[in-house]
Amino acid sequence: MSKQESPYVDGTCVDGTELPGFHNLLGYRQAHWEENEAVIELKLQPRHLNLGGVIHGGVLTSLLDIAMAQAGTHCAFPGRMRRAITLSLTTTFTGQCSGGTIRVTGRKRAGGARIFNSTGEVHDDKGNLLAIAEGTFRIRSGSDKPEGVPI
């Protein structure tokens, strides 16, 4: 399967505009994206930490949600994308970190024409597992075709 140049690079879209809404607030970078797999990275900043000084569970869950949805919505057509909505998401936290860069990997595991399942993992830059997740997603109308919709 072909790899796609991501529409997201270092907190901005390829066209130079900022990531939309909540994505911009998180400030992640697309490291890899191909059919059935997406990887995003986040350099931790103070805004990503909880009151205890470690990465907030909401940040981990949000990044897992994004990467796992992307795993089932790869689009090989430049300037276009496919979209999905989350139907269910379960996250288990397995570790903590307070600095460095985390790597979030989402993998599509199964699915039909509109509904798919993905799993995800988050690792710190030392390879420690911070969280795992499972989710079910639904392809949004217009995104069910391989060419997706305009970005």
Side-chain angles (χ1 to χ4, degrees):
M1 302 289 168
S2 68
K3 292 182 183 175
Q4 173 195 14
E5 181 177 306
S6 167
Y8 311 119
V9 180
D10 294 327
T12 61
C13 295
V14 172
D15 66 6
T17 60
E18 289 185 345
L19 287 169
F22 188 62
H23 298 268
N24 184 45
L25 181 65
L26 288 170
Y28 64 86
R29 177 184 87 79
Q30 192 79 48
H32 176 78
W33 195 0
E34 65 182 342
E35 190 74 22
N36 299 322
E37 183 176 276
V39 180
I40 55 180
E41 294 177 339
L42 176 70
K43 182 175 175 20
L44 294 182
Q45 304 294 321
R47 71 176 184 253
H48 300 122
L49 307 181
N50 64 20
L51 294 176
V54 296
I55 189 167
H56 193 285
V59 172
L60 291 170
T61 300
S62 296
L63 294 170
L64 282 160
D65 184 42
I66 293 165
M68 293 185 333
Q70 286 182 346
T73 57
H74 178 263
C75 182
F77 295 83
R80 300 183 70 84
M81 68 186 303
R82 298 174 66 213
R83 297 181 178 146
I85 60 170
T86 307
L87 299 177
S88 70
L89 178 64
T90 302
T91 305
T92 302
F93 304 104
T94 59
Q96 300 177 348
C97 72
S98 57
T101 300
I102 61 169
R103 186 174 179 89
V104 184
T105 303
R107 290 186 180 91
K108 180 180 173 185
R109 298 296 185 181
R114 298 287 301 257
I115 307 289
F116 66 93
N117 300 92
S118 293
T119 59
E121 295 184 350
V122 182
H123 291 88
D124 67 14
D125 49 14
K126 297 177 184 86
N128 298 313
L129 183 66
L130 304 179
I132 57 175
E134 293 182 0
T136 302
F137 303 85
R138 182 176 65 81
I139 301 288
R140 293 184 66 178
S141 296
S143 293
D144 45 340
K145 296 181 176 69
E147 63 271 13
V149 296
I151 292 177

